[in-house]
Amino acid sequence: MPNIDRREFIKLVGAGGVGVSAGFMLRESSKNPREYLIPHVVAPEDSSSGLATWYNSVCSMCPAGCGISVKTREGRAKKIEGNPSHPVNQGRLCALGQAGLQALYNPDRITAPMVQTGERGSNEFEEVTWEQGLSQVGDRLDLLRAARRGNRVALLTEGVRGHLAQLFESFMRQLSSPRLLHYDFDHPHTLYAANEQFFGESRLPYYDLQNTRMLVSFGADYLTNWISPVHHSLGFGHSRQGQDGARGRFVQIEPRMSMSGAAADQWIAAKPGTEGILALGMAHHIVAQGNYNGADGAAWTTALADYTPSQVAEQTGVPVDTITSLADSFAATQPSLAIGGGAAGNHSNGLDTLVAVNALNYVAGNIGVEGGLIFNQASSGPATQQHQASYRTMLDFTEAALHGEIEVLIINGANPIFNLPPSAEFSEALAQIPLVVSLSSFLDETTAMADLILPSHTYLESWGDDFPEPGVGFSVGAISQPAVSPLYNTRGTGDIILDLAKRMGSSEVMPWGSMEEFLKYGWQRIFRRGDAQTLAGGFDAFWTSILKAGVWGETASPATPFELSPDVIASIGVAAPEFSGSEEEYPFILHPYLSPNFYDGRGANLPWMQELPDPMTSVVYGSWVEMNPTTAEQMGLTEGDLVDIRSPHGQLRVPVYVFPAIMPDVIAMPIGQGHSEYGRYAKDRGVNPIEIISPQMEATTGSLATSATRVTVTATGRRVKLVKTGGTSRDLGRNIVQSTGGAHIEVTNAADNRISIMEVTT
């Protein structure tokens, strides 16, 4: 499979982009392996005659927007692989993406429209026809619109992009309702706000890991779940292979070692919430050593005066010599890049932290250069505004519902009962809404509370499109086409919305008969951007070529020079993190992190993902709490001991996993398990740490500060055996594992406890 980097892709798509890119990608996508029919004396049980057909589409298992190639045989999808022509993932695909087949063939899919016949939450559903279900909703919407009460209708969806997002906006506009909410638990609100505050850009930039010589990550687990992990993994691998004999160096700063930390050359443990302070300490040293030559140097000297390495060392627990040597290397190694996110962006000071990371990139000269931070163009897709709802927005919504201001709620894919803290009172808010309609394919916790279920197709049965955010430095779009015929009596989400629009009298404004028809209408605008050769071929040829290729792209226009406002420099600073609960009563900081297997919980109903060992602990099926060996020994705990984790907002019981690479006053738990519904593979398995998270927010964005909860740990005296594939992490004196060529580093935290880590040198 071809390895397409950003520059090669731009060369191939050519000026204007549409015609050339479609032709190139069509040729590449046509290179399917030839299959021969070979007779067997006794044929294998799983054999089938005929040739395989591949359909290029878009993965919808997470927001990254990877391109996929779906192998089908005799009308059934058999395998999902990455589309080698798509610049986001270049032929690669993560485990969750490959498990999309189990969303399609899941035995717990909702197969037809259902109406709740008992009380909400009783799971007493009865099958109805599509006409009955759509009429019930359409008539209610028509009445509300006619009575000028359309603003009492809300549409709550998981984050979607492209023309489906535009369709949602048009639909809600016909109702004159502003209550269109996109809600994703992991949406990086603070990262968007930090880039808006520092660069004046509402879009995320392109982080060029592929061409960087040194990456310093402040909490961003870019190999597992940060923004676009498959793309970042490709960049990581390319940089690791080295350029001109120089191998890229990677540093990870976080309180608990992630996959990115395990793969890094150096892992540095910093106190939770102080990552931004450390970034400014590095920036101070770079400026103080004369390694920044900008005209605004004096302004930076003043702004960073309180972030000397000694002051920063006291606040972060990272030694002075580690701070200065890291800063020196970062300034001397060009190009270099700093990124931030994950837990570092989910503290009460998350916005300050990520602005500080941008400041570090600025003083190191990493803005707008290859191997650094590159500004993305505006998407060539529909000009939709992503109505991403923060935690504060969701609280406002529940408040409106509790006061009887919502009469109809349509839910598409979102599951806030699972991934909002109970203190948000979302369940109580649903109880006050007269009609709740779910478009989900599965009976998740929120869908179980619906009055009516109008089940959508899975993405492998649907029409759609996507324009990745963030982009890859140039405009990219891809069409999601059905790889198989619908298995059940379900409909596409866009088709459901168009039908409802027709029933409430909006056919003149939304005249399209299907989502496929609406997509073609929308892509006409992109087609008209093409060169003379493309336009001469006609739209039908263009559309067919994009379907075959699975992706479209065009060359980037030259970036405009960036000028930093003096007001931004003057406002630089990172406030101390705030935590719920007193340190005396709640001595541990809870570090919840997105599961590498289940993401935010959406993958928990897939048996492949349940059976896949966690990459850091090898645990399967269940939940656990990670604890430093020193802490566990002091508390008399060993692996498998059941403990009660209590915060000011709830309590969970979970077994201990002794994890060497975590700070002694931090405990960590993966998010994704703990479903009370969501099918046989997810239900009643493990616990959900979101249930005990403090409802604390980052003040500016209103996002939930998921890393700001303090907890206490109490032994129960009971034990369970963790199900895992790995054995002991110790060699028990047998000298099985030996190290060579590395420098042993010790990082000291505030309590003078030590975490030993290995810096790998080459």
Side-chain angles (χ1 to χ4, degrees):
M1 290 184 288
N3 182 20
I4 307 170
D5 68 17
R6 191 174 66 87
R7 288 170 295 181
E8 290 172 347
F9 190 91
I10 291 174
K11 291 177 184 177
L12 289 165
V13 299
V18 177
V20 181
S21 65
F24 159 70
M25 291 180 283
L26 175 58
R27 292 193 299 274
E28 291 295 327
S29 63
S30 298
K31 295 178 181 177
N32 293 327
R34 180 177 297 174
E35 298 188 12
Y36 297 91
L37 297 179
I38 303 175
H40 295 266
V41 177
V42 178
E45 292 182 1
D46 60 349
S47 69
S48 60
S49 60
L51 295 176
T53 303
W54 292 81
Y55 292 91
N56 287 326
S57 190
V58 181
C59 181
S60 297
M61 300 300 285
C62 86
C66 293
I68 57 174
S69 297
V70 185
K71 178 182 180 181
T72 67
R73 178 174 286 162
E74 298 179 351
R76 292 182 65 84
K78 298 289 187 179
K79 188 74 171 71
I80 303 176
E81 294 289 356
N83 180 356
S85 297
H86 201 293
V88 169
N89 56 316
Q90 302 170 30
R92 282 71 168 181
L93 199 64
C94 71
L96 185 59
Q98 300 224 6
L101 287 176
Q102 294 196 320
L104 174 66
Y105 296 121
N106 196 295
D108 298 314
R109 275 188 64 181
I110 301 171
T111 59
M114 309 282 286
V115 63
Q116 183 107 246
T117 58
E119 294 184 2
R120 283 183 181 167
S122 65
N123 284 349
E124 296 177 10
F125 286 98
E126 182 178 287
E127 187 172 325
V128 295
T129 67
W130 273 100
E131 179 60 31
Q132 290 172 317
L134 289 168
S135 294
Q136 180 181 348
V137 184
D139 292 347
R140 181 75 66 92
L141 295 178
D142 192 29
L143 287 172
L144 289 172
R145 185 186 183 211
R148 299 185 181 277
R149 296 169 62 190
N151 63 341
R152 301 176 76 86
V153 178
L155 174 54
L156 174 61
T157 177
E158 63 183 347
V160 297
R161 296 185 290 251
H163 285 88
L164 182 57
Q166 187 180 52
L167 190 66
F168 284 157
E169 288 193 2
S170 298
F171 179 73
M172 297 301 285
R173 196 178 300 121
Q174 303 316 305
L175 289 162
S176 300
S177 175
R179 293 190 165 105
L180 171 58
L181 305 176
H182 293 236
Y183 177 70
D184 290 300
F185 174 79
D186 69 314
H187 184 74
H189 293 280
T190 52
L191 187 59
Y192 276 90
N195 284 282
E196 175 71 30
Q197 181 173 317
F198 196 87
F199 299 118
E201 285 274 351
S202 58
R203 297 179 299 275
L204 293 185
Y206 176 60
Y207 300 98
D208 192 5
L209 272 68
Q210 173 173 306
N211 295 300
T212 194
R213 297 290 182 88
M214 181 176 181
L215 176 79
V216 179
S217 170
F218 295 86
D221 186 7
Y222 52 91
L223 296 182
T224 301
N225 48 45
W226 185 69
I227 301 180
S228 188
V230 175
H231 187 74
H232 295 324
S233 297
L234 287 165
F236 171 83
H238 188 277
S239 181
R240 277 293 205 199
Q241 292 172 4
Q243 304 174 55
D244 302 326
R247 178 175 178 267
R249 182 187 175 201
F250 289 77
V251 180
Q252 187 76 10
I253 300 168
E254 57 195 358
R256 176 255 177 198
M257 181 181 284
S258 62
M259 274 287 292
S260 302
D265 298 283
Q266 184 178 0
W267 180 73
I268 298 174
K271 292 180 184 179
T274 66
E275 294 89 348
I277 297 172
L278 179 57
L280 292 186
M282 292 174 60
H284 177 282
H285 185 72
I286 291 172
V287 173
Q289 293 298 306
N291 292 320
Y292 175 69
N293 300 316
D296 51 7
W300 279 110
T301 299
T302 301
L304 299 172
D306 294 334
Y307 295 92
T308 65
S310 59
Q311 291 172 299
V312 168
E314 184 177 351
Q315 296 176 69
T316 64
V318 179
V320 171
D321 57 350
T322 301
I323 298 170
T324 55
S325 63
L326 188 60
D328 289 337
S329 297
F330 192 74
T333 307
Q334 292 297 318
S336 58
L337 174 64
I339 60 176
N346 292 335
H347 282 280
S348 60
N349 62 356
L351 175 58
D352 290 349
T353 293
L354 300 184
V355 169
V357 174
N358 285 336
L360 176 59
N361 276 317
Y362 183 85
V363 300
N366 299 333
I367 309 299
V369 299
E370 188 175 79
L373 185 152
I374 301 171
F375 296 113
N376 272 305
Q377 287 181 288
S379 171
S380 297
T384 57
Q385 177 185 356
Q386 188 86 327
H387 298 259
Q388 270 290 345
S390 66
Y391 181 67
R392 180 185 293 142
T393 307
M394 293 299 291
L395 291 181
D396 292 341
F397 171 81
T398 57
E399 186 72 15
L402 289 169
H403 285 84
E405 298 174 16
I406 310 294
E407 295 190 38
V408 178
L409 171 62
I410 301 174
I411 304 173
N412 174 55
N415 189 12
I417 290 183
F418 176 79
N419 51 33
L420 278 177
S423 57
E425 299 184 330
F426 192 84
S427 296
E428 293 82 351
L430 281 187
Q432 301 303 314
I433 301 175
L435 179 60
V436 177
V437 183
S438 174
L439 310 184
S440 176
S441 303
F442 297 95
L443 193 70
D444 56 37
E445 288 80 0
T446 306
T447 300
M449 299 296 292
D451 301 295
L452 178 65
I453 305 174
L454 302 176
S456 295
H457 295 332
T458 65
Y459 69 98
L460 295 176
E461 304 163 300
S462 299
W463 285 100
D465 62 357
D466 188 51
F467 299 85
E469 167 66 19
V472 291
F474 54 95
S475 296
V476 175
I479 296 173
S480 177
Q481 61 178 315
V484 296
S485 298
L487 300 184
Y488 304 113
N489 186 21
T490 57
R491 296 190 181 183
T493 303
D495 297 324
I496 296 172
I497 295 298
L498 286 169
D499 192 296
L500 292 176
K502 180 180 179 180
R503 291 171 186 270
M504 67 181 194
S506 297
S507 295
E508 291 186 5
V509 182
M510 303 175 67
W512 308 283
S514 67
M515 186 64 186
E516 180 184 5
E517 186 179 331
F518 177 57
L519 282 177
K520 288 183 177 180
Y521 169 82
W523 276 79
Q524 287 274 1
R525 183 179 62 84
I526 298 176
F527 164 70
R528 289 192 289 269
R529 295 166 62 105
D531 55 19
Q533 179 183 355
T534 300
L535 295 173
F539 176 75
D540 288 343
F542 166 74
W543 177 258
T544 300
S545 68
I546 297 299
L547 289 181
K548 290 182 177 180
V551 65
W552 164 90
E554 66 178 353
T555 351
S557 59
T560 57
F562 168 69
E563 293 185 8
L564 183 62
S565 167
D567 293 338
V568 172
I569 302 175
S571 67
I572 293 291
V574 178
E578 299 176 358
F579 299 91
S580 65
S582 66
E583 186 174 353
E584 293 74 21
E585 186 177 0
Y586 301 97
F588 298 99
I589 296 173
L590 178 64
H591 181 90
Y593 61 93
L594 293 178
S595 166
N597 296 351
F598 311 129
Y599 194 55
D600 57 358
R602 68 185 67 181
N605 67 332
L606 310 175
W608 283 354
M609 304 313 295
Q610 289 284 356
E611 294 172 354
L612 184 66
D614 177 81
M616 294 301 292
T617 65
S618 82
V619 177
V620 296
Y621 297 115
S623 295
W624 62 93
V625 59
E626 297 163 10
M627 184 176 291
N628 182 275
T630 302
T631 305
E633 183 179 0
Q634 291 173 349
M635 298 185 67
L637 297 172
T638 59
E639 181 180 297
D641 284 340
L642 281 173
V643 294
D644 288 332
I645 310 297
R646 182 172 59 87
S647 78
H649 305 279
Q651 180 173 304
L652 298 173
R653 179 164 293 182
V654 64
V656 168
Y657 181 87
V658 180
F659 190 64
I662 188 170
M663 299 187 74
D665 56 351
V666 176
I667 64 169
M669 293 180 65
I671 294 169
Q673 298 277 37
H675 286 274
S676 59
E677 298 288 348
Y678 204 34
R680 70 194 70 182
Y681 304 113
K683 186 177 181 180
D684 301 328
R685 194 181 301 279
V687 299
N688 180 11
I690 300 174
E691 294 179 5
I692 64 171
I693 286 178
S694 166
Q696 193 162 331
M697 290 181 278
E698 195 282 321
T700 303
T701 63
S703 60
L704 182 63
T706 57
S707 301
T709 302
R710 282 193 170 276
V711 296
T712 185
V713 179
T714 305
T716 65
R718 300 177 57 190
R719 289 181 54 79
V720 296
K721 188 172 181 61
L722 286 173
V723 181
K724 61 177 186 174
T725 60
T728 178
S729 60
R730 302 278 191 266
D731 66 7
L732 304 177
R734 293 174 291 172
N735 202 26
I736 297 173
V737 180
Q738 300 183 30
S739 61
T740 60
H744 200 206
I745 296 177
E746 291 184 337
V747 179
T748 305
N749 73 359
D752 293 331
N753 292 312
R754 294 183 180 273
I755 301 174
S756 298
I757 60 177
M758 183 65 68
E759 180 183 4
V760 181
T761 58
T762 59

